[in-house]
Amino acid sequence: MSDIQTWALIFVAASFALYIGIAWRSRVKETKGFFVAEQNIPAVANGAAVAADWMSAASFISMAGLIAFLGSDGSIYLMGWTGGYVLLALLLAPYLRKWGKFTVPEFVGDRFSETVRSVSAVVAIIVSFTYVVGQMAGGGIVFSRFLQVEQGAGVAIAAAVIFAYAVFGGMKGITWTQVAQYTVLIVAYLIPAWAVAHTMTGFPVPQISFGEILAELNRIGAEFGLPVYTEAFTARPQIDVFLVTLSLMIGTAGLPHVIIRFYTTKTVRGARYSALWALIFIGLLYTTAPAVGAFTKLNLLNGVQGAAVDALPSWVQNWMATGLITVGEGVNTIGTVSNDPTSGADMIINNDILVLASPEIAGLPAPIVGLVAAGGLAAAMSTAAGLLLVISSSASHDLYFRYVDHHASEARRLLVSRIAMGIAVLVAIYFGINPPAFVAQVVAFAFGLAASTFFPILLLGIFWKRANAAGAVSGMLTGLVFTATYMIYTLPVFGTQANDHIMGVSPEGIGAIGAVVNLVVTVIVSLATRPPSHEVQEMVENIRYPAVARRTGTSA
């Protein structure tokens, strides 16, 4: 076993033991503790949990790799995923927390109808399954490289640990585990970034110092035939950059596993402050990711330029063993590098390896490389746990309890939740081993589905009293079918053949158009059918305005 493998095993085993220990200490016996952590989580802790829940394997493992190969166009992920939290904090989180209860389908069920609740529960399961696939795939990548475990076995190990601590503690255990996971992932991300920045520029703050190497990155990239790193709209049409950014923004604000976190705070004010703390914690990583992408890409290109295949750096050989770096047959000397398997380049590098390989590429000590492995697993597992809880709660609380056994006891509802989570884990393992795209792309698809289904309905449900059940069902189903159909049409998934993008719109950006379709259909159908009852309209008023202000006739 190499030094890197030894340190990776130490850090991974220690972090796994910490997660299981926290979950055991936080185990619950009631549904309120299982679903919303007894609504007793402080704002700072909830902010850290939200950050860990949302900064998934895509953020930790894949985003810097995408930025490295997309250049300036990679800002779509930074702007979209962080901008979405502004929408969430201002438009949705405080109102949903004031309303209270357990799940997003519960809100739309009370706001619209039981039919809408059922549809939204099914949609929540679809979105969460899509998202969890990326997390499982990310966990498999870490295991396959650093612990020399086959990717399938690595996915199964990560899933087993997630299942263990999620089943023990539900949302309560997941919340405090995610606080620990955020600590692990941010330390594992920042320490190598600081070390690489200091080594390459002499100044250890990567957010500032990486500007010094951009001219050199442009020069060497041109020698490899790559687009100019600092030039915008070279990798994507301008319209697609806009649509992907918007899709990620409104998708963030509509993700069920993120929204449910704001039900766990003590007060409505706590929900707002949770969003503020989450943005601060997320910003630590997101302002560092562009620097990591730039530093790593420059080191990578310098390390392989003109190198004979049998004299490539050891890190290349290590990652070739995982299948995430490939060198073309008959190639003797590396002259071209790409992340596109259809490009015909000498060396094809998977986006998902750049952050994990960055310490090796820079020649950092083995303990730092091992720490990054633990951070990547923490990012993948923290989000996967939240997603599995959404799947569990939607299946048990919104479907089983409502339609199969309305009088089920607390113990039975918890049992059904845990069984649903177990089934979800098995399905997630399969798709984690056979993901349809890069980790960040799979996650972007989940955001697109959330954007085209949940965001318009939640927005109209809170701010437009005239929206009714017929409009909500029509809008959600139309948005889902439209967006999913386009994604399947443009991607080689489920045995289908990939087709060209229509008018330059990528599958990651179609969610924004799907949201508009949803919005328009909901408004038209709502206006063409009977309005909601007076009681429902009064409920909307009570969600939006404080009771004191309503009694005195003042605005809030």
Side-chain angles (χ1 to χ4, degrees):
M1 181 177 288
S2 67
D3 288 346
I4 289 176
Q5 292 174 317
T6 300
W7 281 105
L9 181 61
I10 291 171
F11 282 119
V12 169
S15 61
F16 279 14
L18 175 63
Y19 306 152
I20 296 294
I22 291 173
W24 179 258
R25 295 271 311 225
S26 305
R27 59 192 185 277
V28 296
K29 297 181 179 179
E30 297 179 352
T31 53
K32 187 173 183 180
F34 191 86
F35 292 129
V36 291
E38 300 170 350
Q39 294 185 326
N40 196 33
I41 304 298
V44 176
N46 199 53
V50 169
D53 199 356
W54 180 74
M55 283 196 304
S56 61
S59 295
F60 189 100
I61 295 175
S62 194
M63 184 174 64
L66 284 169
I67 294 172
F69 283 102
L70 289 175
S72 294
D73 292 352
S75 61
I76 56 178
Y77 295 97
L78 302 173
M79 294 186 296
W81 282 335
T82 51
Y85 260 96
V86 178
L87 293 179
L88 184 60
L90 294 177
L91 295 181
L92 300 180
Y95 304 107
L96 294 175
R97 174 60 186 86
K98 182 182 177 184
W99 171 78
K101 292 192 182 178
F102 290 169
T103 66
V104 172
E106 270 196 304
F107 168 75
V108 297
D110 286 357
R111 171 62 179 87
F112 297 110
S113 70
E114 287 299 312
T115 301
V116 184
R117 183 199 302 270
S118 301
V119 172
S120 65
V122 172
V123 171
I125 292 173
I126 293 172
V127 171
S128 298
F129 262 127
T130 305
Y131 203 161
V132 82
V133 165
Q135 313 317 307
M136 294 301 182
I141 290 171
V142 175
F143 272 106
S144 64
R145 162 63 190 94
F146 294 107
L147 298 177
Q148 296 297 297
V149 175
E150 290 188 4
Q151 186 164 348
V155 169
I157 293 170
V161 175
I162 296 167
F163 178 71
Y165 70 72
V167 163
F168 281 147
M171 179 60 85
K172 184 178 180 181
I174 287 172
T175 297
W176 291 110
T177 301
Q178 284 172 338
V179 173
Q181 287 168 331
Y182 174 77
T183 304
V184 171
L185 75 87
I186 200 64
V187 169
Y189 203 87
L190 293 181
I191 287 179
W194 291 338
V196 172
H198 185 267
T199 299
M200 296 184 69
T201 69
F203 190 68
V205 181
Q207 293 90 334
I208 299 173
S209 58
F210 87 104
E212 297 182 17
I213 57 106
L214 294 182
E216 174 66 10
L217 188 54
N218 285 336
R219 183 195 64 77
I220 193 170
E223 294 180 7
F224 277 88
L226 299 172
V228 178
Y229 190 81
T230 56
E231 184 176 329
F233 312 127
T234 58
R236 292 176 181 268
Q238 188 171 356
I239 182 62
D240 193 49
V241 169
F242 170 77
L243 289 175
V244 174
T245 302
L246 181 60
S247 180
L248 295 176
M249 286 180 68
I250 60 179
T252 296
L255 283 173
H257 81 286
V258 173
I259 293 174
I260 198 174
R261 290 237 51 94
F262 294 96
Y263 292 153
T264 65
T265 59
K266 298 178 181 179
T267 62
V268 175
R269 176 173 291 184
R272 290 186 185 274
Y273 277 101
S274 291
L276 173 63
W277 281 110
L279 275 171
I280 293 171
F281 293 138
I282 290 166
L284 289 175
L285 189 146
Y286 270 54
T287 56
T288 308
V292 172
F295 285 135
T296 306
K297 185 176 183 180
L298 182 58
N299 278 331
L300 185 157
L301 296 180
N302 280 327
V304 302
Q305 185 179 30
V309 172
D310 57 2
L312 286 170
S314 60
W315 65 265
V316 175
Q317 305 295 338
N318 293 334
W319 283 99
M320 285 178 65
T322 69
L324 298 176
I325 290 182
T326 57
V327 175
E329 294 184 9
V331 173
N332 296 316
T333 302
I334 302 300
T336 57
V337 174
S338 176
N339 67 330
D340 181 4
T342 65
S343 65
D346 298 342
M347 178 180 287
I348 308 297
I349 298 176
N350 189 299
N351 287 325
D352 295 338
I353 77 161
L354 255 67
V355 170
L356 298 174
S358 179
E360 289 181 273
I361 296 172
L364 297 182
I368 294 182
V369 181
L371 179 62
V372 170
L377 284 174
M381 295 169 65
S382 61
T383 301
L387 292 165
L388 290 172
L389 186 65
V390 168
I391 295 170
S392 170
S393 62
S394 296
S396 64
H397 190 71
D398 296 308
L399 295 177
Y400 177 84
F401 179 64
R402 294 285 172 179
Y403 299 107
V404 178
D405 188 357
H406 186 66
H407 301 289
S409 64
E410 290 271 329
R412 187 168 186 82
R413 289 165 65 185
L414 281 176
L415 176 62
V416 172
S417 297
R418 286 163 172 155
I419 292 173
M421 190 176 291
I423 295 172
V425 165
L426 295 177
V427 177
I429 289 173
Y430 173 78
F431 284 107
I433 297 171
N434 304 283
F438 295 131
V439 170
Q441 283 183 310
V442 174
V443 170
F445 302 153
F447 278 76
L449 293 174
S452 63
T453 53
F454 280 115
F455 180 76
I457 299 305
L458 293 173
L459 186 68
L460 293 175
I462 293 170
F463 292 100
W464 191 42
K465 293 188 291 184
R466 186 63 176 78
N468 63 16
V473 168
S474 302
M476 288 187 72
L477 292 178
T478 304
L480 175 65
V481 171
F482 173 84
T483 303
T485 299
Y486 187 83
M487 288 180 176
I488 294 172
Y489 175 80
T490 53
L491 288 170
V493 296
F494 305 123
T496 63
Q497 181 178 354
N499 295 281
D500 293 337
H501 299 170
I502 299 174
M503 298 179 67
V505 179
S506 68
E508 297 99 319
I510 195 63
I513 299 177
V516 174
V517 171
N518 181 339
L519 195 70
V520 171
V521 169
T522 302
V523 170
I524 292 174
V525 174
S526 294
L527 291 175
T529 53
R530 296 177 59 183
S533 66
H534 175 75
E535 290 76 14
V536 169
Q537 297 190 45
E538 185 68 19
M539 185 191 79
V540 175
E541 287 287 327
N542 288 333
I543 290 176
R544 288 176 53 194
Y545 300 108
V548 174
R550 284 178 49 75
R551 285 198 299 269
T552 59
T554 60
S555 61

